[in-house]
Amino acid sequence: MMTISVEKPIFEEVSALKKSGDKIGELKLDGGFSMPKMDTKDDEAFLAPEMNAFGRQFRDYDVESERQKGVEEFYRLQHINQTVDFVTKMRAEYGKLDKKVMSIWECCELLNEVVDESDPDLDEPQIQHLLQSAEAIRKDYPNEDWLHLTALIHDLGKVITLPQFGGLPQWAVVGDTFPVGCAFDESNVHHKYFVENPDFHNKAYNTKNGIYSEGCGLNNVMMSWGHDDYMYLVAKENGSTLPSPGQFIIRYHSFYPLHTAGEYTHLMNEEDKENLKWLHVFNKYDLYSKSKVHVDVEKVKPYYMSLIKKYFPENLRW
């Protein structure tokens, strides 16, 4: 089986929920969505470990290792090449959705060809991480089936690393995402490399708002290109009925400068602020559910197939 190595660097997570003082059981969302209390008892709920499987902190960019040297080189390339022009070109190319026709589950199986070898917290096939995240959320939020499915599919866009999807370089697929078309906030990891990005010196792009206006809404903001935005386009253009928070999670789960550092909030509108509360919940499971305990795929498959049928057409254009 072919293995595609992708970069997904990690640094120490700061809980945005703790930072804001919000309690999950108290969050209320507009549009008919309420933030439920977890149905599990406190001693049964998913608890985030302090260390990853290798005995290091999650998302630690400072540890000295050959892997971290590769991570820094990854971000150097990403920060230099992710420009307004590049993102515009990628959105036009991949927005055609002409690479393949297949089901969601077929894509899940295809993702087994992608192993995130550079991730300090994960050395398992991607589908295991997806199912670990989904099952952990399912345990704590059994009634939010859309959130279970969102966890399962949130990383499917990584297939654009595969040759049949264009074989994009790692810096155009994974890693933290950020807006282009406005100033690169210093909360972006390895910020120093943005100085080599042509947009850094473009007066139209290097102010706080850049080409955007305050409160314009993230839907009107171009993000650096990667698997998040691609999977969002696939879901949207194929008529997925996932609720707004689910599509928001898919599109912005790698936007760590926003959901962890709390920056770029001046671009958000009210719907974004409501959806961000769900992303804060999701992020705990996305980052910390990586485990050596394998999920029995065949055992849980019927449940997730029923969710796919509920929220997606049988076959999608990719």
Short mmCIF file of all heavy atoms in Angstrom, two decimals, residues 56-105:
data_model
loop_
_atom_site.label_atom_id
_atom_site.label_comp_id
_atom_site.label_asym_id
_atom_site.label_seq_id
_atom_site.Cartn_x
_atom_site.Cartn_y
_atom_site.Cartn_z
N ARG A 56 5.56 13.70 25.16
CA ARG A 56 5.81 15.13 24.98
C ARG A 56 4.51 15.89 25.02
O ARG A 56 3.43 15.33 24.85
CB ARG A 56 6.52 15.39 23.65
CG ARG A 56 7.91 14.77 23.56
CD ARG A 56 8.54 15.06 22.21
NE ARG A 56 9.87 14.49 22.11
CZ ARG A 56 10.37 13.94 21.02
NH1 ARG A 56 9.64 13.86 19.93
NH2 ARG A 56 11.59 13.46 21.00
N GLN A 57 4.61 17.20 25.21
CA GLN A 57 3.42 18.04 25.18
C GLN A 57 2.83 18.08 23.78
O GLN A 57 3.55 18.00 22.79
CB GLN A 57 3.76 19.47 25.61
CG GLN A 57 4.08 19.62 27.09
CD GLN A 57 4.32 21.06 27.46
OE1 GLN A 57 4.84 21.84 26.65
NE2 GLN A 57 3.94 21.44 28.66
N PHE A 58 1.50 18.22 23.72
CA PHE A 58 0.85 18.36 22.43
C PHE A 58 1.24 19.69 21.80
O PHE A 58 1.43 20.69 22.48
CB PHE A 58 -0.67 18.31 22.59
CG PHE A 58 -1.20 16.94 22.92
CD1 PHE A 58 -1.34 16.54 24.25
CD2 PHE A 58 -1.53 16.05 21.92
CE1 PHE A 58 -1.82 15.28 24.56
CE2 PHE A 58 -2.01 14.79 22.21
CZ PHE A 58 -2.16 14.41 23.53
N ARG A 59 1.36 19.71 20.49
CA ARG A 59 1.65 20.91 19.71
C ARG A 59 2.87 21.65 20.25
O ARG A 59 2.86 22.85 20.46
CB ARG A 59 0.43 21.82 19.65
CG ARG A 59 -0.71 21.25 18.85
CD ARG A 59 -1.88 22.22 18.73
NE ARG A 59 -1.51 23.45 18.07
CZ ARG A 59 -1.42 23.62 16.74
NH1 ARG A 59 -1.63 22.60 15.93
NH2 ARG A 59 -1.10 24.78 16.23
N ASP A 60 3.94 20.91 20.49
CA ASP A 60 5.18 21.50 20.98
C ASP A 60 6.13 21.74 19.81
O ASP A 60 6.70 20.81 19.26
CB ASP A 60 5.82 20.56 22.02
CG ASP A 60 7.03 21.18 22.68
OD1 ASP A 60 7.45 22.29 22.25
OD2 ASP A 60 7.56 20.59 23.63
N TYR A 61 6.29 23.02 19.45
CA TYR A 61 7.16 23.36 18.32
C TYR A 61 8.61 23.58 18.74
O TYR A 61 9.47 23.77 17.91
CB TYR A 61 6.65 24.64 17.65
CG TYR A 61 5.43 24.43 16.82
CD1 TYR A 61 4.20 24.97 17.21
CD2 TYR A 61 5.49 23.71 15.64
CE1 TYR A 61 3.08 24.77 16.44
CE2 TYR A 61 4.36 23.51 14.86
CZ TYR A 61 3.16 24.05 15.27
OH TYR A 61 2.04 23.87 14.51
N ASP A 62 8.90 23.59 20.04
CA ASP A 62 10.22 24.00 20.50
C ASP A 62 11.16 22.84 20.80
O ASP A 62 12.36 23.04 20.91
CB ASP A 62 10.08 24.86 21.77
CG ASP A 62 9.29 26.13 21.49
OD1 ASP A 62 9.49 26.70 20.40
OD2 ASP A 62 8.49 26.55 22.36
N VAL A 63 10.61 21.63 20.98
CA VAL A 63 11.47 20.51 21.30
C VAL A 63 12.49 20.29 20.19
O VAL A 63 12.18 20.39 19.01
CB VAL A 63 10.63 19.23 21.54
CG1 VAL A 63 9.90 18.82 20.28
CG2 VAL A 63 11.50 18.10 22.07
N GLU A 64 13.72 20.03 20.57
CA GLU A 64 14.80 19.84 19.60
C GLU A 64 14.76 18.41 19.06
O GLU A 64 14.93 17.45 19.79
CB GLU A 64 16.15 20.10 20.27
CG GLU A 64 16.41 21.56 20.60
CD GLU A 64 16.55 22.42 19.36
OE1 GLU A 64 17.00 21.89 18.31
OE2 GLU A 64 16.21 23.61 19.42
N SER A 65 14.55 18.29 17.78
CA SER A 65 14.56 16.97 17.15
C SER A 65 14.64 17.15 15.65
O SER A 65 14.39 18.24 15.13
CB SER A 65 13.30 16.17 17.52
OG SER A 65 12.16 16.75 16.90
N GLU A 66 14.98 16.08 14.97
CA GLU A 66 15.02 16.13 13.51
C GLU A 66 13.63 16.41 12.96
O GLU A 66 13.46 17.12 11.98
CB GLU A 66 15.56 14.81 12.96
CG GLU A 66 17.04 14.61 13.17
CD GLU A 66 17.87 15.72 12.54
OE1 GLU A 66 17.61 16.07 11.37
OE2 GLU A 66 18.78 16.24 13.22
N ARG A 67 12.62 15.84 13.63
CA ARG A 67 11.24 16.06 13.19
C ARG A 67 10.89 17.54 13.26
O ARG A 67 10.28 18.09 12.35
CB ARG A 67 10.29 15.24 14.06
CG ARG A 67 8.82 15.48 13.75
CD ARG A 67 7.92 14.57 14.58
NE ARG A 67 8.02 13.18 14.17
CZ ARG A 67 7.35 12.19 14.73
NH1 ARG A 67 6.55 12.43 15.74
NH2 ARG A 67 7.47 10.96 14.29
N GLN A 68 11.29 18.20 14.35
CA GLN A 68 10.96 19.62 14.49
C GLN A 68 11.69 20.49 13.48
O GLN A 68 11.17 21.53 13.05
CB GLN A 68 11.27 20.09 15.92
CG GLN A 68 10.37 19.47 16.98
CD GLN A 68 8.89 19.74 16.71
OE1 GLN A 68 8.52 20.81 16.24
NE2 GLN A 68 8.05 18.75 16.99
N LYS A 69 12.87 20.08 13.07
CA LYS A 69 13.57 20.81 12.01
C LYS A 69 12.77 20.74 10.72
O LYS A 69 12.68 21.71 9.97
CB LYS A 69 14.98 20.23 11.80
CG LYS A 69 15.92 20.49 12.96
CD LYS A 69 17.28 19.82 12.73
CE LYS A 69 18.20 20.03 13.92
NZ LYS A 69 19.50 19.33 13.73
N GLY A 70 12.19 19.56 10.47
CA GLY A 70 11.34 19.41 9.29
C GLY A 70 10.08 20.23 9.39
O GLY A 70 9.61 20.79 8.40
N VAL A 71 9.55 20.33 10.60
CA VAL A 71 8.35 21.13 10.84
C VAL A 71 8.63 22.60 10.52
O VAL A 71 7.83 23.28 9.87
CB VAL A 71 7.87 20.98 12.30
CG1 VAL A 71 6.84 22.03 12.65
CG2 VAL A 71 7.31 19.59 12.53
N GLU A 72 9.75 23.10 10.99
CA GLU A 72 10.08 24.50 10.74
C GLU A 72 10.25 24.76 9.24
O GLU A 72 9.82 25.79 8.72
CB GLU A 72 11.34 24.90 11.50
CG GLU A 72 11.67 26.39 11.33
CD GLU A 72 12.66 26.90 12.36
OE1 GLU A 72 12.98 26.17 13.32
OE2 GLU A 72 13.11 28.05 12.19
N GLU A 73 10.88 23.83 8.54
CA GLU A 73 11.04 23.98 7.09
C GLU A 73 9.68 23.95 6.40
O GLU A 73 9.44 24.71 5.45
CB GLU A 73 11.92 22.86 6.54
CG GLU A 73 12.04 22.83 5.01
CD GLU A 73 12.67 24.08 4.42
OE1 GLU A 73 13.23 24.91 5.17
OE2 GLU A 73 12.60 24.24 3.18
N PHE A 74 8.78 23.11 6.91
CA PHE A 74 7.42 23.08 6.39
C PHE A 74 6.78 24.46 6.48
O PHE A 74 6.20 24.97 5.52
CB PHE A 74 6.58 22.06 7.17
CG PHE A 74 5.10 22.23 7.01
CD1 PHE A 74 4.44 21.62 5.97
CD2 PHE A 74 4.37 23.02 7.88
CE1 PHE A 74 3.07 21.79 5.79
CE2 PHE A 74 3.01 23.19 7.73
CZ PHE A 74 2.35 22.58 6.68
N TYR A 75 6.87 25.08 7.65
CA TYR A 75 6.24 26.38 7.84
C TYR A 75 6.94 27.49 7.05
O TYR A 75 6.31 28.45 6.63
CB TYR A 75 6.13 26.74 9.32
CG TYR A 75 4.87 26.15 9.93
CD1 TYR A 75 4.92 25.10 10.83
CD2 TYR A 75 3.62 26.64 9.55
CE1 TYR A 75 3.76 24.55 11.34
CE2 TYR A 75 2.46 26.09 10.05
CZ TYR A 75 2.53 25.06 10.95
OH TYR A 75 1.37 24.51 11.45
N ARG A 76 8.24 27.34 6.85
CA ARG A 76 8.93 28.32 6.02
C ARG A 76 8.34 28.31 4.61
O ARG A 76 8.01 29.37 4.05
CB ARG A 76 10.43 28.01 5.98
CG ARG A 76 11.25 29.09 5.24
CD ARG A 76 12.71 28.66 5.14
NE ARG A 76 12.87 27.60 4.14
CZ ARG A 76 12.99 27.83 2.83
NH1 ARG A 76 12.94 29.06 2.33
NH2 ARG A 76 13.15 26.81 2.00
N LEU A 77 8.17 27.13 4.05
CA LEU A 77 7.60 27.00 2.70
C LEU A 77 6.14 27.46 2.67
O LEU A 77 5.72 28.15 1.74
CB LEU A 77 7.70 25.56 2.23
CG LEU A 77 9.11 25.04 1.96
CD1 LEU A 77 9.08 23.54 1.70
CD2 LEU A 77 9.74 25.78 0.80
N GLN A 78 5.39 27.08 3.69
CA GLN A 78 3.98 27.46 3.73
C GLN A 78 3.83 28.99 3.79
O GLN A 78 3.05 29.59 3.04
CB GLN A 78 3.29 26.83 4.94
CG GLN A 78 1.78 27.09 4.96
CD GLN A 78 1.18 26.98 6.35
OE1 GLN A 78 1.68 27.58 7.30
NE2 GLN A 78 0.08 26.23 6.46
N HIS A 79 4.60 29.61 4.67
CA HIS A 79 4.45 31.05 4.86
C HIS A 79 4.92 31.86 3.66
O HIS A 79 4.42 32.95 3.41
CB HIS A 79 5.22 31.49 6.11
CG HIS A 79 4.61 30.97 7.39
ND1 HIS A 79 3.42 30.29 7.43
CD2 HIS A 79 5.05 31.04 8.68
CE1 HIS A 79 3.14 29.97 8.68
NE2 HIS A 79 4.11 30.41 9.45
N ILE A 80 5.87 31.33 2.93
CA ILE A 80 6.35 32.02 1.73
C ILE A 80 5.35 31.89 0.58
O ILE A 80 5.10 32.85 -0.16
CB ILE A 80 7.72 31.45 1.29
CG1 ILE A 80 8.79 31.82 2.31
CG2 ILE A 80 8.10 31.98 -0.11
CD1 ILE A 80 10.13 31.14 2.03
N ASN A 81 4.73 30.74 0.44
CA ASN A 81 3.96 30.42 -0.77
C ASN A 81 2.45 30.64 -0.68
O ASN A 81 1.77 30.72 -1.71
CB ASN A 81 4.23 28.97 -1.17
CG ASN A 81 5.64 28.77 -1.68
OD1 ASN A 81 6.01 29.27 -2.74
ND2 ASN A 81 6.45 28.06 -0.92
N GLN A 82 1.90 30.72 0.52
CA GLN A 82 0.45 30.90 0.66
C GLN A 82 0.12 32.39 0.49
O GLN A 82 0.13 33.17 1.43
CB GLN A 82 -0.03 30.39 2.02
CG GLN A 82 0.01 28.88 2.17
CD GLN A 82 -1.23 28.18 1.58
OE1 GLN A 82 -2.10 28.82 1.00
NE2 GLN A 82 -1.29 26.86 1.73
N THR A 83 -0.18 32.77 -0.74
CA THR A 83 -0.50 34.15 -1.09
C THR A 83 -1.94 34.25 -1.58
O THR A 83 -2.59 33.22 -1.84
CB THR A 83 0.43 34.64 -2.21
OG1 THR A 83 0.19 33.84 -3.39
CG2 THR A 83 1.91 34.53 -1.81
N VAL A 84 -2.42 35.46 -1.74
CA VAL A 84 -3.76 35.66 -2.28
C VAL A 84 -3.87 35.03 -3.67
O VAL A 84 -4.85 34.34 -3.99
CB VAL A 84 -4.11 37.16 -2.36
CG1 VAL A 84 -5.39 37.39 -3.17
CG2 VAL A 84 -4.27 37.74 -0.96
N ASP A 85 -2.85 35.22 -4.50
CA ASP A 85 -2.87 34.66 -5.86
C ASP A 85 -2.90 33.14 -5.82
O ASP A 85 -3.65 32.50 -6.58
CB ASP A 85 -1.65 35.13 -6.65
CG ASP A 85 -1.76 36.59 -7.06
OD1 ASP A 85 -2.87 37.15 -6.98
OD2 ASP A 85 -0.72 37.16 -7.47
N PHE A 86 -2.10 32.53 -4.95
CA PHE A 86 -2.06 31.08 -4.87
C PHE A 86 -3.40 30.52 -4.41
O PHE A 86 -3.93 29.56 -4.98
CB PHE A 86 -0.95 30.62 -3.92
CG PHE A 86 -0.94 29.13 -3.69
CD1 PHE A 86 -0.44 28.27 -4.65
CD2 PHE A 86 -1.44 28.59 -2.50
CE1 PHE A 86 -0.45 26.89 -4.45
CE2 PHE A 86 -1.45 27.21 -2.29
CZ PHE A 86 -0.95 26.36 -3.27
N VAL A 87 -3.98 31.11 -3.36
CA VAL A 87 -5.25 30.63 -2.83
C VAL A 87 -6.36 30.78 -3.88
O VAL A 87 -7.19 29.88 -4.06
CB VAL A 87 -5.63 31.38 -1.54
CG1 VAL A 87 -7.05 31.02 -1.10
CG2 VAL A 87 -4.63 31.04 -0.43
N THR A 88 -6.36 31.90 -4.59
CA THR A 88 -7.36 32.12 -5.64
C THR A 88 -7.27 31.04 -6.70
O THR A 88 -8.29 30.49 -7.15
CB THR A 88 -7.16 33.50 -6.28
OG1 THR A 88 -7.30 34.52 -5.28
CG2 THR A 88 -8.19 33.75 -7.38
N LYS A 89 -6.05 30.71 -7.08
CA LYS A 89 -5.83 29.66 -8.09
C LYS A 89 -6.29 28.30 -7.60
O LYS A 89 -6.95 27.54 -8.32
CB LYS A 89 -4.35 29.60 -8.46
CG LYS A 89 -4.02 28.58 -9.54
CD LYS A 89 -2.52 28.43 -9.74
CE LYS A 89 -1.88 29.71 -10.22
NZ LYS A 89 -0.42 29.55 -10.48
N MET A 90 -5.97 27.96 -6.35
CA MET A 90 -6.34 26.65 -5.79
C MET A 90 -7.85 26.52 -5.64
O MET A 90 -8.44 25.47 -5.93
CB MET A 90 -5.66 26.43 -4.44
CG MET A 90 -4.16 26.19 -4.50
SD MET A 90 -3.69 24.66 -5.39
CE MET A 90 -3.32 25.32 -7.02
N ARG A 91 -8.51 27.57 -5.17
CA ARG A 91 -9.96 27.51 -5.00
C ARG A 91 -10.65 27.34 -6.35
O ARG A 91 -11.68 26.65 -6.45
CB ARG A 91 -10.47 28.76 -4.29
CG ARG A 91 -10.14 28.77 -2.80
CD ARG A 91 -10.71 30.01 -2.11
NE ARG A 91 -12.17 30.02 -2.16
CZ ARG A 91 -12.97 29.38 -1.32
NH1 ARG A 91 -12.45 28.64 -0.35
NH2 ARG A 91 -14.28 29.45 -1.43
N ALA A 92 -10.10 27.97 -7.39
CA ALA A 92 -10.68 27.82 -8.73
C ALA A 92 -10.47 26.41 -9.26
O ALA A 92 -11.39 25.80 -9.82
CB ALA A 92 -10.07 28.85 -9.68
N GLU A 93 -9.27 25.87 -9.07
CA GLU A 93 -8.94 24.55 -9.59
C GLU A 93 -9.72 23.46 -8.86
O GLU A 93 -10.36 22.60 -9.49
CB GLU A 93 -7.44 24.29 -9.45
CG GLU A 93 -7.01 22.85 -9.75
CD GLU A 93 -7.34 22.41 -11.16
OE1 GLU A 93 -7.43 23.26 -12.06
OE2 GLU A 93 -7.53 21.19 -11.36
N TYR A 94 -9.67 23.47 -7.54
CA TYR A 94 -10.32 22.41 -6.78
C TYR A 94 -11.82 22.63 -6.63
O TYR A 94 -12.56 21.68 -6.31
CB TYR A 94 -9.63 22.23 -5.42
CG TYR A 94 -8.34 21.46 -5.58
CD1 TYR A 94 -7.14 22.13 -5.86
CD2 TYR A 94 -8.31 20.08 -5.51
CE1 TYR A 94 -5.96 21.43 -6.04
CE2 TYR A 94 -7.14 19.37 -5.68
CZ TYR A 94 -5.96 20.04 -5.95
OH TYR A 94 -4.80 19.34 -6.15
N GLY A 95 -12.26 23.84 -6.87
CA GLY A 95 -13.69 24.11 -6.85
C GLY A 95 -14.43 23.47 -8.01
O GLY A 95 -15.66 23.37 -7.99
N LYS A 96 -13.69 23.00 -9.02
CA LYS A 96 -14.31 22.30 -10.15
C LYS A 96 -14.87 20.93 -9.72
O LYS A 96 -15.77 20.39 -10.37
CB LYS A 96 -13.28 22.07 -11.26
CG LYS A 96 -12.71 23.34 -11.87
CD LYS A 96 -11.59 22.98 -12.86
CE LYS A 96 -10.90 24.21 -13.40
NZ LYS A 96 -9.75 23.85 -14.28
N LEU A 97 -14.28 20.38 -8.64
CA LEU A 97 -14.69 19.07 -8.13
C LEU A 97 -14.73 18.03 -9.26
O LEU A 97 -15.69 17.28 -9.43
CB LEU A 97 -16.06 19.16 -7.45
CG LEU A 97 -16.16 20.12 -6.25
CD1 LEU A 97 -17.57 20.13 -5.69
CD2 LEU A 97 -15.15 19.75 -5.17
N ASP A 98 -13.65 17.97 -10.00
CA ASP A 98 -13.58 17.07 -11.16
C ASP A 98 -12.51 15.99 -11.01
O ASP A 98 -12.11 15.36 -11.98
CB ASP A 98 -13.30 17.88 -12.43
CG ASP A 98 -11.98 18.65 -12.38
OD1 ASP A 98 -11.30 18.62 -11.32
OD2 ASP A 98 -11.64 19.30 -13.38
N LYS A 99 -12.05 15.75 -9.77
CA LYS A 99 -10.98 14.79 -9.56
C LYS A 99 -11.48 13.35 -9.47
O LYS A 99 -10.83 12.41 -9.91
CB LYS A 99 -10.20 15.14 -8.29
CG LYS A 99 -9.60 16.54 -8.30
CD LYS A 99 -8.54 16.69 -9.36
CE LYS A 99 -7.85 18.05 -9.31
NZ LYS A 99 -8.71 19.15 -9.82
N LYS A 100 -12.68 13.17 -8.85
CA LYS A 100 -13.17 11.81 -8.65
C LYS A 100 -14.63 11.87 -8.20
O LYS A 100 -15.07 12.88 -7.65
CB LYS A 100 -12.34 11.10 -7.57
CG LYS A 100 -12.56 9.59 -7.47
CD LYS A 100 -11.60 8.97 -6.47
CE LYS A 100 -11.78 7.47 -6.32
NZ LYS A 100 -11.46 6.72 -7.55
N VAL A 101 -15.38 10.80 -8.45
CA VAL A 101 -16.73 10.65 -7.91
C VAL A 101 -16.70 9.44 -6.98
O VAL A 101 -16.34 8.34 -7.40
CB VAL A 101 -17.78 10.45 -9.03
CG1 VAL A 101 -19.15 10.16 -8.42
CG2 VAL A 101 -17.84 11.67 -9.92
N MET A 102 -17.04 9.65 -5.73
CA MET A 102 -17.03 8.55 -4.75
C MET A 102 -17.86 8.94 -3.54
O MET A 102 -18.23 10.10 -3.36
CB MET A 102 -15.60 8.20 -4.34
CG MET A 102 -14.86 9.31 -3.64
SD MET A 102 -13.18 8.78 -3.16
CE MET A 102 -12.48 10.36 -2.62
N SER A 103 -18.11 7.96 -2.69
CA SER A 103 -18.88 8.19 -1.47
C SER A 103 -17.97 8.69 -0.35
O SER A 103 -16.74 8.62 -0.44
CB SER A 103 -19.56 6.89 -1.03
OG SER A 103 -18.59 5.95 -0.60
N ILE A 104 -18.59 9.16 0.72
CA ILE A 104 -17.83 9.58 1.90
C ILE A 104 -17.02 8.41 2.46
O ILE A 104 -15.84 8.56 2.78
CB ILE A 104 -18.77 10.14 2.99
CG1 ILE A 104 -19.35 11.50 2.56
CG2 ILE A 104 -18.04 10.26 4.32
CD1 ILE A 104 -18.38 12.65 2.59
N TRP A 105 -17.65 7.23 2.58
CA TRP A 105 -16.92 6.10 3.17
C TRP A 105 -15.76 5.66 2.28
O TRP A 105 -14.71 5.27 2.79
CB TRP A 105 -17.86 4.92 3.45
CG TRP A 105 -17.17 3.93 4.33
CD1 TRP A 105 -16.54 2.79 3.96
CD2 TRP A 105 -16.99 4.04 5.75
NE1 TRP A 105 -15.99 2.15 5.06
CE2 TRP A 105 -16.25 2.90 6.17
CE3 TRP A 105 -17.39 4.98 6.71
CZ2 TRP A 105 -15.90 2.69 7.51
CZ3 TRP A 105 -17.04 4.76 8.05
CH2 TRP A 105 -16.31 3.64 8.42
#
